[in-house]
């Protein structure tokens, strides 16, 4: 059994010295260090004064801009931009914030004419904008208007077929909890035009909609006139129950033929939310070889062994009983994949390879944390695994990378570690016990 230990995490230079890896002599270490220096990453987090607002109010906020590697406040960006986004992805208001005494803070005003509904706050710098919207900070807030306390639109949804939803709208007068018949109802279509509807003395209206084609961002804008008052509201429309997709991911990115591996999966509905599924795997002969079940987030994994030239199918069923089939990734000849197993006290790393394949002797295993190299050594093929103590691994997402002699990636694996030593433990104390009798309040 081969056991390795991570060095104490301080800073990149100190870590490399502990590992006896020269910053100037090792190509990989140079690459990682250069990445941190030339392409630093910013992280944005925002606190707001509350999560529910009324039109005309100000959204007060404090922006925390930090360096991803050092986790320290970062004011290298000259401005932070904040935006209020409507359910139809329109920019309602935008502000530009400069740091004041090292802190970014300010407010965004909510216009008086907004419809009630769920809006989005979005914050970014020019630097994160260049990297991509995945690095933006986003937060959902609810905005109401003065008539939100008098009227409300109740919406009922029913799946019509695989692509369409039947929608029923009823118009509620909150004071006496009765439904009313508005003078006129208008609904905004995908082109932004308002279409008028007459209810003919009925207090409900019905229509069918395809969320992916007929509306913007799964949201419908509805307004109505009643007793010379104009009420406006955004209605969120769910996707049809039959729409979901399941993606499958071999551990380490490769699926070596004839080797016992793990296959992870993720089920998503069109709203981007996890879809709970159960299912089974069938081989080319139609025999069931594995069963699987997701957690409530739509994620899970199962053991899997595949062979070159064979097609395997996953038969999935969601909570609404909708059944779908998905083809699994094909097994690969001459493939190598990282296998990482996180135990209670240790992390075990092994390699899976195509049956009968001989491992190259020039591979290197690199483990890093936010660009900080924790381990960088040539892979020892005897024995075919190593392990680390969890208490010496920092908390967070750890990247495990296997490269060849030319530093080309062969396989990659991400794991999450929780290290109790990285967190402060707070326990209640008896204050009176620690205060002299003569200093206590009576």
């Amino acid at each position: 059994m081969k056991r390795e230990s991570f060095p104490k995490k301080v800073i990149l230079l100190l870590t490399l010295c502990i590992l006896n890896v020269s910053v100037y002599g090792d190509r990989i270490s140079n690459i990682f260090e250069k990445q941190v220096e030339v392409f630093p990453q910013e992280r944005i987090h925002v606190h707001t004064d509350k999560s529910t607002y009324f039109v005309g109010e100000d959204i007060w906020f404090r922006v925390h801009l930090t360096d991803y590697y050092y986790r320290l406040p970062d004011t290298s960006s000259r401005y932070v931009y904040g935006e209020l986004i409507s359910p139809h992805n329109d920019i309602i208001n935008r502000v530009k914030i400069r740091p004041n005494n090292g802190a970014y803070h300010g407010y965004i005003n909510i216009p008086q004419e907004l419809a009630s509904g769920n809006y989005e706050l979005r914050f970014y710098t020019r630097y994160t904008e260049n990297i991509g919207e995945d690095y933006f900070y986003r937060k959902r807030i609810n905005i109401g208007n003065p008539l939100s306390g008098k009227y409300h639109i109740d919406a009922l949804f029913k799946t019509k077929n695989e692509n369409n939803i039947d929608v029923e709208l009823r118009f509620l007068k909150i004071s006496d909890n009765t439904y009313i018949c508005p003078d006129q109802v208008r609904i905004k279509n995908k082109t932004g035009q308002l279409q008028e509807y007459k209810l003919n003395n009925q207090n409900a209206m019905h229509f069918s909609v395809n969320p992916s084609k007929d509306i913007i961002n799964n949201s419908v804008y509805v307004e109505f006139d009643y007793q010379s008052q104009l009420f406006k509201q955004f209605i969120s429309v769910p996707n049809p129950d039959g729409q979901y997709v399941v993606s499958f991911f071999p551990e380490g990115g490769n699926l070596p033929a004839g080797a016992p591996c793990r296959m992870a999966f993720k089920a998503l509905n069109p709203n981007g939310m996890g879809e709970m599924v159960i299912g089974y795997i069938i081989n080319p002969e139609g025999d069931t070889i594995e069963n699987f079940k997701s957690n409530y987030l739509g994620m899970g994994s199962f053991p899997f062994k595949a062979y070159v030239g064979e097609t395997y199918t996953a038969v999935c069923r969601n909570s609404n009983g909708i059944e779908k089939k998905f083809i699994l990734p094909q097994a690969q000849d001459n493939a190598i994949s990282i296998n990482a197993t996180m135990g209670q006290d240790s992390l075990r790393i092994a390699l899976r390879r195509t049956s009968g394949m001989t491992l190259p002797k020039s591979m290197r295993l690199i483990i890093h944390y936010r660009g900080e190299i924790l381990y960088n050594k040539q892979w020892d093929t005897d024995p075919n695994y190593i392990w680390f103590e969890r208490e010496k691994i920092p908390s967070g997402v750890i990247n495990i990378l296997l490269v060849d002699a030319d530093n080309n990636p062969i396989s990659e694996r991400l794991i999450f570690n929780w290290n109790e030593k990285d967190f402060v433990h707070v326990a209640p104390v008896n204050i009176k016990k620690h205060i002299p009798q003569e200093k206590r309040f009576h």
Side-chain angles (χ1 to χ4, degrees):
M1 181 180 296
K2 183 177 180 181
R3 177 176 174 178
E4 298 283 353
S5 295
F6 281 111
K8 185 177 180 181
K9 177 166 64 72
V10 188
I11 59 174
L12 180 60
L13 183 58
L14 179 58
T15 303
L16 295 176
C17 291
I18 293 175
L19 287 171
N20 195 26
V21 179
S22 171
V23 174
Y24 302 100
D26 188 274
R27 287 179 56 197
I28 297 176
S29 299
N30 269 327
I31 291 171
F32 275 87
E33 184 181 348
K34 202 69 176 178
Q35 175 78 17
V36 173
E37 292 178 354
V38 179
F39 301 104
Q41 289 190 25
E42 295 177 336
R43 284 293 188 271
I44 300 174
H45 186 78
V46 180
H47 281 112
T48 57
D49 56 338
K50 51 186 179 179
S51 58
T52 300
Y53 299 85
F54 280 95
V55 294
E57 287 190 304
D58 294 328
I59 304 170
W60 289 92
F61 59 83
R62 166 72 182 268
V63 179
H64 302 273
L65 183 63
T66 61
D67 178 271
Y68 175 67
Y69 179 76
Y70 295 105
R71 290 183 289 186
L72 295 173
D74 182 6
T75 56
S76 56
S77 285
R78 188 176 181 184
Y79 298 104
V80 171
Y81 299 86
E83 296 173 341
L84 176 62
I85 311 295
S86 79
H88 281 177
N89 291 329
D90 297 319
I91 298 177
I92 304 300
N93 212 340
R94 178 191 285 125
V95 295
K96 184 167 65 173
I97 313 104
R98 292 188 63 179
N100 184 6
N101 295 325
Y104 296 88
H105 55 84
Y107 67 90
I108 298 177
N109 180 258
I110 304 174
Q112 293 279 358
E113 67 275 7
L114 286 190
S116 61
N118 294 317
Y119 289 72
E120 180 182 81
L121 290 174
R122 182 170 67 188
F123 292 85
Y124 58 93
T125 65
R126 289 303 182 200
Y127 186 84
T128 56
E129 185 180 28
N130 289 332
I131 299 176
E133 292 193 6
D134 289 341
Y135 293 86
F136 289 11
Y137 178 85
R138 303 172 186 273
K139 180 177 182 178
R140 292 282 182 179
I141 62 171
N142 181 266
I143 296 178
N145 59 40
L147 296 180
S148 298
K150 298 183 65 174
Y151 306 110
H152 182 76
I153 301 176
D154 288 341
L156 297 176
F157 308 100
K158 183 179 180 181
T159 298
K160 183 177 182 180
N161 52 46
E162 188 175 347
N163 298 313
N164 294 283
I165 292 285
D166 282 334
V167 184
E168 177 184 284
L169 300 183
R170 291 181 176 270
F171 309 91
L172 179 67
K173 186 178 180 182
I174 298 176
S175 59
D176 54 7
N177 200 33
T178 59
Y179 290 111
I180 59 175
C181 180
D183 302 326
Q184 189 181 76
V185 178
R186 292 175 292 276
I187 297 178
K188 187 177 292 186
N189 60 25
K190 194 169 185 177
T191 63
Q193 297 178 329
L194 289 173
Q195 296 178 317
E196 298 181 357
Y197 295 87
K198 291 288 186 179
L199 298 190
N200 298 323
N201 297 321
Q202 296 180 358
N203 57 14
M205 66 174 295
H206 301 81
F207 60 94
S208 181
V209 63
N210 183 330
S212 62
K213 293 182 178 181
D214 301 333
I215 57 178
I216 302 173
N217 203 25
N218 284 64
S219 184
V220 174
Y221 171 86
V222 183
E223 66 178 35
F224 66 82
D225 300 301
Y226 186 74
Q227 295 183 347
S228 301
Q229 293 180 312
L230 175 64
F231 178 75
K232 301 177 286 187
Q233 182 178 332
F234 282 101
I235 306 293
S236 295
V237 179
N239 282 281
D241 296 332
Q243 291 190 5
Y244 69 95
V245 63
V246 185
S247 301
F248 293 86
F249 310 96
E251 183 180 18
N254 302 321
L255 185 58
C261 300
R262 290 205 69 81
M263 181 72 73
F265 65 91
K266 173 72 173 179
L268 290 174
N269 59 37
N271 296 322
M273 306 298 292
E275 185 84 359
M276 191 167 181
V277 297
I278 60 173
Y280 55 91
I281 307 299
I282 56 177
N283 62 17
E285 288 75 35
D287 301 323
T288 299
I289 59 174
E290 291 291 345
N291 293 283
F292 60 88
K293 181 180 180 179
S294 76
N295 60 20
Y296 71 99
L297 293 174
M299 296 186 292
S301 66
F302 54 88
F304 185 58
K305 182 188 286 188
Y307 298 91
V308 173
E310 295 189 355
T311 299
Y312 299 84
T313 304
V315 182
C316 305
R317 186 185 300 270
N318 70 354
S319 56
N320 294 307
I322 306 299
E323 186 174 282
K324 288 193 171 187
K325 296 181 179 181
F326 302 92
I327 302 299
L328 269 63
Q330 293 287 317
Q332 300 165 279
D333 200 7
N334 295 322
I336 303 172
S337 184
I338 295 174
N339 169 252
T341 304
M342 185 70 80
Q344 184 175 355
D345 301 315
S346 63
L347 166 65
R348 182 182 185 273
I349 300 176
L351 297 185
R352 299 287 187 249
R353 51 183 166 172
T354 299
S355 180
M357 176 184 175
T358 301
L359 288 175
K361 295 184 178 297
S362 55
M363 299 183 298
R364 295 186 72 86
L365 184 70
I366 303 164
I367 303 176
H368 69 93
Y369 171 64
R370 303 196 321 269
E372 175 184 339
I373 295 181
L374 303 175
Y375 183 87
N376 179 9
K377 290 185 179 180
Q378 186 167 325
W379 179 264
D380 188 353
T381 57
D382 185 26
N384 191 29
Y385 63 90
I386 56 177
W387 66 283
F388 303 90
E389 297 177 77
R390 284 192 64 175
E391 65 178 12
K392 296 183 178 180
I393 306 175
S395 296
V397 178
I398 310 298
N399 187 293
I400 306 171
L401 183 65
L402 185 71
V403 299
D404 62 17
D406 296 320
N407 294 333
N408 296 312
I410 298 174
S411 178
E412 183 180 20
R413 178 76 156 83
L414 300 179
I415 61 169
F416 178 81
N417 184 54
W418 178 279
N419 192 328
E420 291 289 342
K421 292 184 177 181
D422 291 337
F423 299 90
V424 176
H425 297 274
V426 180
V429 297
N430 188 339
I431 299 179
K432 286 187 176 182
K433 183 178 179 181
H434 300 279
I435 301 177
Q437 181 71 32
E438 62 274 9
K439 293 187 178 182
R440 295 180 186 176
F441 290 103
H442 297 283

